[in-house]
Amino acid sequence: MKAFIWLLTAAMAVLCCSCWAMAELVMRSLRALGGPLPNFTAMILRPHGWLLLVPILWVGYAVVLSLRKEVSVRAAFLFGGTIGFAMTSIACAVVVAAALPYIPLKIAY
């Protein structure tokens, strides 16, 4: 079970580093284009350093679980559920924030 916990933590770290790199590339591209950013994009991608700090919570949780003699199935599933939900939320937020500036949102009246 301990290997499972650390593999999930490594997957979270890889996802967050990838999202950070994507945010950096998208923001460079948007700066070159100029123009206003959608609010959601500015909130998620402009200060994108937070993406590198997110896995710290689960690293701490993984350390706590690893120090136990036996990791219960319940604790492993709770860890997996929280990290899975966080990874999905982060990935979806970054993808939507990165795509919004390129989608024409003109409202016809």
Side-chain angles (χ1 to χ4, degrees):
M1 281 295 182
K2 292 180 184 182
F4 173 72
I5 289 168
W6 284 106
L7 285 172
L8 283 176
T9 307
M12 173 72 152
V14 168
L15 175 94
C16 287
C17 288
S18 300
C19 286
W20 177 83
M22 176 60 75
E24 178 68 28
L25 291 173
V26 168
M27 288 308 294
R28 283 184 186 183
S29 171
L30 292 174
R31 269 187 239 121
L33 290 175
L37 288 177
N39 290 336
F40 187 71
T41 301
M43 181 179 71
I44 299 295
L45 298 184
R46 187 172 284 156
H48 55 274
W50 65 272
L51 288 165
L52 296 175
L53 299 177
V54 171
I56 292 174
L57 294 170
W58 283 274
V59 168
Y61 192 14
V63 167
V64 168
L65 288 176
S66 293
L67 292 176
R68 295 181 181 178
K69 274 190 172 183
E70 295 270 336
V71 177
S72 69
V73 174
R74 183 174 186 230
F77 275 123
L78 181 63
F79 182 83
T82 60
I83 205 166
F85 179 74
M87 288 170 63
T88 304
S89 300
I90 290 168
C92 288
V94 169
V95 167
V96 169
L100 274 177
Y102 300 104
I103 299 172
L105 296 174
K106 295 191 179 192
I107 300 172
Y109 289 102

